Amino acid sequence: MSETAIEFLQEWICEKCQAPAEPIRIEKQAETLARECAAEAAEAGIPLEELQEEVGDIQDLIAARLEDAVEAQERASGSD
């Protein structure tokens, strides 16, 4: 994967993959975000295939990051 593609994906995920208001909807949100990521990558001249070459399915990666964000949020609110 090109350095440009790696940087794009890292920045995009950091910016967009926040804990959803309703954790039960992670898969739906991941699907929406995956479409958005693919569209923004295309606008930046980065083909989806180039992103998926290294990380596999973008939707699965985004779902995992959303789940991580939910767990981190739960740990943070549980420590109050």
Side-chain angles (χ1 to χ4, degrees):
M1 176 157 47
S2 75
E3 189 66 30
T4 303
I6 292 170
E7 288 175 14
F8 171 85
L9 190 57
Q10 287 175 337
E11 289 175 17
W12 195 93
I13 285 178
C14 284
E15 181 181 323
K16 303 286 184 171
C17 291
Q18 307 299 320
E22 299 175 36
I24 210 156
R25 300 188 59 208
I26 285 177
E27 287 304 317
K28 185 67 175 166
Q29 186 168 359
E31 180 182 338
T32 301
L33 289 173
R35 282 195 304 271
E36 185 180 326
C37 180
E40 289 183 28
E43 287 175 16
I46 302 168
L48 179 60
E49 295 78 23
E50 190 173 340
L51 295 175
Q52 292 183 327
E53 185 178 291
E54 276 295 313
V55 299
D57 188 279
I58 296 294
Q59 185 173 333
D60 289 345
L61 175 65
I62 291 171
R65 299 298 173 149
L66 290 172
E67 289 170 2
D68 290 346
V70 168
E71 289 174 11
Q73 185 179 48
E74 288 173 353
R75 280 193 305 272
S77 39
S79 64
D80 288 344

